[in-house]
Amino acid sequence: MKERILDVAAEKINSYGLKKFTVDEIAAELKISKKTIYKYFKSKDDMILQYFEAIISSDKESVEKTLRSNSEFLEKIHQIVYSNHKYKLPIKLLNEAKLFYPEEWNEIEKLKKYKLNVIKKLLEEAALEGKINSEVNLSVLSKMLEKISDTFVDYDFLIGNKLKTTEAIDEAFKIILYGILNK
């Protein structure tokens, strides 16, 4: 039952945002009482906390699975950037989380740093194997990736440039991997 409640909460969060969904809506959709919901969750905020915990843990599991795979390093990087997590996390929710749920936002930031460190290690391994141009300064590249990753969650930038997150990521990859000069 707890999982079903959290699944419906995730749908409501994705539709209405972190602040605007209600426990009443969840109870009505599941045809259960609020009292039943509160057997599993202390509060609406506890539900939000567990929503973020599910996203973060499933994202990390996806990264670990990717690292164990036999994929080439570029495919691994792509899979890590686009890693799957239990619930879709719309960009608009990130701004709301940053404003109203700082602890959850800090966990998202930790996840981002974790993924950047994993990518940096993959790049270092690829450099040792001669798969990356030896003239590339991996420290600079890692810093670029870190700064670029902030762009992917900048709702105003994405909206202002009529980009989806995936499109922005693809464009950044294209620039990093293939450069800006005509061939």
Side-chain angles (χ1 to χ4, degrees):
M1 177 55 74
K2 182 177 183 176
E3 194 74 24
R4 285 182 52 214
I5 295 169
L6 196 54
D7 289 346
V8 172
E11 290 172 17
K12 301 298 179 195
I13 289 168
N14 289 347
S15 295
Y16 305 116
L18 295 168
K19 289 290 202 182
K20 293 183 181 178
F21 81 97
T22 68
V23 176
D24 287 326
E25 292 168 328
I26 296 166
E29 184 166 324
L30 290 171
K31 296 178 175 66
I32 59 175
S33 68
K34 283 173 53 174
K35 186 176 178 181
T36 302
I37 291 173
Y38 288 122
K39 283 183 189 176
Y40 299 98
F41 300 94
K42 296 175 203 161
S43 64
K44 179 179 168 181
D45 284 343
D46 183 40
M47 210 177 294
I48 291 169
L49 169 69
Q50 290 188 41
Y51 165 80
F52 279 106
E53 285 175 350
I55 288 170
I56 290 166
S57 68
S58 62
D59 203 334
K60 281 185 177 180
E61 287 172 20
S62 178
V63 170
E64 294 300 323
K65 181 180 176 187
T66 296
L67 291 174
R68 290 189 302 270
S69 76
N70 292 327
S71 302
E72 285 295 317
F73 93 97
L74 275 179
E75 180 61 26
K76 283 184 179 182
I77 289 174
H78 186 270
Q79 289 172 356
I80 289 167
V81 169
Y82 288 106
S83 61
N84 297 312
H85 41 76
K86 184 168 176 79
Y87 304 115
K88 198 162 189 80
L89 184 61
I91 293 298
K92 63 183 180 185
L93 287 183
L94 292 177
N95 287 335
E96 198 175 352
K98 191 175 186 178
L99 287 172
F100 301 111
Y101 296 92
E103 290 176 28
E104 287 78 0
W105 176 253
N106 285 336
E107 293 303 314
I108 291 169
E109 285 291 303
K110 285 179 190 174
L111 175 65
K112 181 179 94 171
K113 285 183 175 138
Y114 163 74
K115 290 171 78 168
L116 286 168
N117 284 331
V118 167
I119 289 171
K120 183 178 179 183
K121 287 178 185 173
L122 286 172
L123 290 169
E124 288 168 351
E125 289 171 12
L128 289 173
E129 295 169 5
K131 295 178 180 177
I132 293 177
N133 181 339
S134 62
E135 295 178 17
V136 171
N137 183 318
L138 292 180
S139 296
V140 171
L141 178 57
S142 294
K143 191 64 173 176
M144 286 172 57
L145 291 172
E146 180 183 338
K147 293 301 179 185
I148 289 170
S149 70
D150 292 336
T151 303
F152 306 146
V153 295
D154 183 343
Y155 187 71
D156 293 332
F157 170 80
L158 294 171
I159 295 298
N161 289 285
K162 297 180 180 134
L163 288 170
K164 295 178 186 170
T165 302
T166 54
E167 293 170 332
I169 292 169
D170 289 343
E171 287 300 316
F173 267 132
K174 195 175 1 173
I175 293 166
I176 289 170
L177 295 175
Y178 306 112
I180 61 170
L181 299 177
N182 286 327
K183 296 186 180 270

